[in-house]
Amino acid sequence: MGALALLTSCSTVPREPAISLASAGQQVSTSAHASIAGLAATVDANAQLLLVENAISNQQVESMDDETNAALFKSSLRLSQLIQLRAQALAGLAAAYRALEDEARYDEPGAVAPAVDALARQATAFASLAGVGPASATMLATEIAKRAAVQGAASAQKARLIAASRQINAANKLITAAIGKEAALYAKVAASLGLDRANFIKALTAAKVLQPEDQDIVLRQFLKDQGLQPAASLPPAAVGYAVPTILGYRAWMASNAGENIYAAQIQALSDLQAQHVAFEAGQPVSLADINTALAQLSGWVTLFDDYRAQSAAEAAARVGEPK
């Protein structure tokens, strides 16, 4: 009981700091979760690209003969699996922070423990696939809540809030470490796919699968974006050299934005961890650093989506739709 006594040495319930921490946690986890969609779509599209390129190059779909592409495809699938588990873990993190807020606002003893326990399972699953361990997120909130229930109401609620904070923060750290592993894999895959996208265009052209006007549209749009007026007829050789370069550059820029999305997520989660420590020590909770990290995350997501939207605009132009 010694550790529990330390948690409840003062019966004043830190409701407002807990609400501020929970609100910040929900912002971080939901923003990080929202940033997943574009990355997930790109990873899935790139995996499909590798399969199609292999089929065109080898005239078969049963196997992927090229060792480099095979390894890249395997890494892409693993990355996709990590992204799915990260989405679940971040959703669990948001739910745990909502439960923490409910506990602080309404003194609901049964609200926080199930959400924290579920979060521990989700964080551990994500971390396990990412190769992070041993797991530090454990399901102790229920037991601590039971022990705290025998005390006075104020002391019990304070104990529950601090215990929940510690458990949520342990899961936060586990998720953050796993995101770091996922980010490293993303950087490796994205760097290879930037070059592979250019090779893909060349393979499609050589196989006479890609319509000449498809490449023409890409180059024309690129020139217009630079404030230049393309000629009525573009030399095929120039188009053939320019388009793979343009698409490769876009893929590189998108991958760079993607890497910064990961970095901003990690920073926001790390800043949140620091506020857990402050809350548990009875110090004020500050949102300044968290808000800065979230603003950076939003900016990188916008840039990433802009590069993805360029391809969508060109696809629309091919069928005469408005861009």
Side-chain angles (χ1 to χ4, degrees):
M1 291 290 290
L4 190 60
L6 289 176
L7 291 178
T8 58
S9 58
C10 176
S11 61
T12 302
V13 180
R15 289 190 180 90
E16 291 306 318
I19 290 170
S20 294
L21 179 65
S23 177
Q26 290 175 71
Q27 283 184 286
V28 171
S29 50
T30 54
S31 295
H33 189 278
S35 71
I36 289 176
L39 285 172
T42 299
V43 170
D44 289 343
N46 286 336
Q48 294 177 44
L49 179 150
L50 289 168
L51 285 175
V52 172
E53 180 184 354
N54 180 75
I56 291 172
S57 299
N58 301 301
Q59 301 298 307
Q60 61 178 349
V61 295
E62 291 82 3
S63 64
M64 189 173 285
D65 292 337
D66 185 282
E67 291 184 5
T68 301
N69 274 5
L72 194 54
F73 180 69
K74 184 177 180 180
S75 294
S76 296
L77 290 183
R78 183 165 181 270
L79 182 57
S80 181
Q81 292 171 336
L82 282 169
I83 289 173
Q84 292 175 27
L85 288 182
R86 173 161 58 101
Q88 294 174 18
L90 289 172
L93 189 62
Y97 280 117
R98 284 194 296 273
L100 180 65
E101 182 176 3
D102 287 344
E103 168 66 48
R105 287 186 184 279
Y106 310 117
D107 190 9
E108 296 186 3
V112 70
V116 172
D117 288 352
L119 170 61
R121 290 189 291 270
Q122 292 161 330
T124 299
F126 176 39
S128 178
L129 183 61
V132 174
S136 59
T138 54
M139 293 181 284
L140 299 179
T142 302
E143 181 61 27
I144 293 178
K146 288 178 180 177
R147 292 169 63 188
V150 301
Q151 302 177 9
S155 296
Q157 186 183 22
K158 180 178 180 181
R160 290 194 302 270
L161 289 173
I162 294 178
S165 172
R166 287 179 174 171
Q167 292 307 112
I168 292 172
N169 203 24
N172 182 339
K173 291 177 181 178
L174 201 57
I175 291 169
T176 303
I179 291 176
K181 293 284 189 178
E182 182 190 317
L185 181 59
Y186 172 84
K188 178 181 177 182
V189 169
S192 298
L193 285 171
L195 175 61
D196 201 79
R197 189 167 183 81
N199 293 335
F200 178 59
I201 298 300
K202 293 176 182 177
L204 289 178
T205 303
K208 301 187 184 304
V209 173
L210 189 65
Q211 294 284 350
E213 55 266 28
D214 288 339
Q215 295 194 65
D216 192 85
I217 287 173
V218 172
L219 182 53
R220 287 182 179 279
Q221 187 60 51
F222 173 78
L223 293 172
K224 289 178 182 178
D225 290 343
Q226 308 306 311
L228 303 172
Q229 181 60 43
S233 178
L234 300 175
V239 174
Y241 283 114
V243 171
T245 301
I246 293 169
L247 296 180
Y249 175 76
R250 283 185 192 166
W252 178 80
M253 287 297 292
S255 70
N256 181 63
E259 289 178 39
N260 280 285
I261 287 174
Y262 278 106
Q265 282 189 28
I266 290 171
Q267 186 61 56
L269 289 166
S270 298
D271 291 339
L272 190 57
Q273 291 165 23
Q275 297 314 308
H276 274 276
V277 174
F279 168 72
E280 291 156 19
Q283 299 172 359
V285 173
S286 172
L287 306 183
D289 290 342
I290 294 172
N291 289 336
T292 298
L294 289 178
Q296 292 174 345
L297 174 60
S298 177
W300 285 115
V301 169
T302 298
L303 183 60
F304 183 87
D305 289 343
D306 284 347
Y307 281 105
R308 294 181 63 238
Q310 288 179 359
S311 295
E314 287 158 2
R318 285 196 287 271
V319 293
E321 296 176 0
K323 299 176 187 177

